[in-house]
Amino acid sequence: MLAEVTKPGTDETVRVPMPINLDTINRLYDLSLDQDEVEGWLAARAEQVPTIRTSEDVVVSKVGRELYEKFFRGYTRKQWALDPSELDKSVTARVPTRTNTDDRYFTDTFQAMPADGYTKMFEKMLSHPNITIRTGVDYAEVRDSIPHKRVIWTGPVDEYFGFRYGKLPYRSLRFEHSILDQAEYQPVGTVNYPAEEVPYTRISEYKHLTGQVHPKTSITAEFPSAEGDPYYPIPRPENQALYKRYEALADAAQDVWFVGRLATYRYYNMDQIVGQALATFTKIDASLPPEAANDDAEALRRAAAGTSPPR
């Protein structure tokens, strides 16, 4: 990943590695520091923060005010419609800072995508004969008409409980897709745009991720929004306090499991959410008698299809 920023003291725009690492510093400041030298360079600019509470605290205590302004402040204000000083430390704590040349967000040994893409993966998961799909349906309108014994809820936890204590706030995104008559738009899969005057936060070009070769290319620009599908729980103390009230209701709900970002009001990466889903299945499997897994599958299928059992 790269980030497009201006070089200090100039109007020159450059693209440098993100997360911040040794190459980022050397390219941005026209230096030739080594790993030991850049560690001291960053330490000299880092600010002393007695207690790390906010996302601003996290960054300025690691890399100082100037790099915070260039890479984090504008991006965060666009993404969350809040200053980093108003957000929990967890937001920017996810982003590493390195003194070597490793520009990966994650250091997992194995990092990959589904061989045929996420759409095919989910289609295969949902093709089981015991699964019936109904779209365009409001759960609140059908929850009492479909016979069921157990529910796995992945939607917003406040919605499940009819917004009893008020709505939990989320941020959304608007995607602008383009197909371009050129083989390549940018040199990497994603470029971040931290400047506040740029309305989007990043642009992704998919062929860098898939390895496809084609004379045209597809890109997507992401525009943060307060409206739209809920994507990102907003990590602030008052929001967490509201969630805790819903969490108490969720804990007390019988035969309902709450799974995912929206249901647990937490930001998860893809590997984390798969891990949570598998862990939840293990808990469900351990709590049910062996014959319970498919005891009412046929009734559920018929109810969803609007048919009656044979007489």
Side-chain angles (χ1 to χ4, degrees), residues 33-58:
L33 302 175
D34 61 26
Q35 189 167 336
D36 293 330
E37 291 170 331
V38 78
E39 188 171 342
W41 189 93
L42 289 170
R45 286 156 177 78
E47 295 184 6
Q48 295 297 316
V49 181
T51 304
I52 306 295
R53 291 192 178 91
T54 71
S55 282
E56 178 181 308
D57 295 338
V58 171

Side-chain angles (χ1 to χ4, degrees), residues 15 22 26 30 52 80 96 135 138 140 146 179 210 218 245 275 293:
R15 289 179 174 176
L22 176 61
N26 282 335
D30 294 323
I52 306 295
W80 300 98
T135 60
D138 188 329
I146 297 180
I179 297 176
T210 62
S218 299
R245 300 182 71 186

Side-chain angles (χ1 to χ4, degrees), residues 190-212:
T190 301
V191 176
N192 282 1
Y193 294 85
E196 283 194 74
E197 59 270 21
V198 179
Y200 41 84
T201 51
R202 60 186 181 181
I203 293 178
S204 295
E205 185 174 17
Y206 301 106
K207 61 168 48 177
H208 294 287
L209 311 178
T210 62
Q212 291 168 292

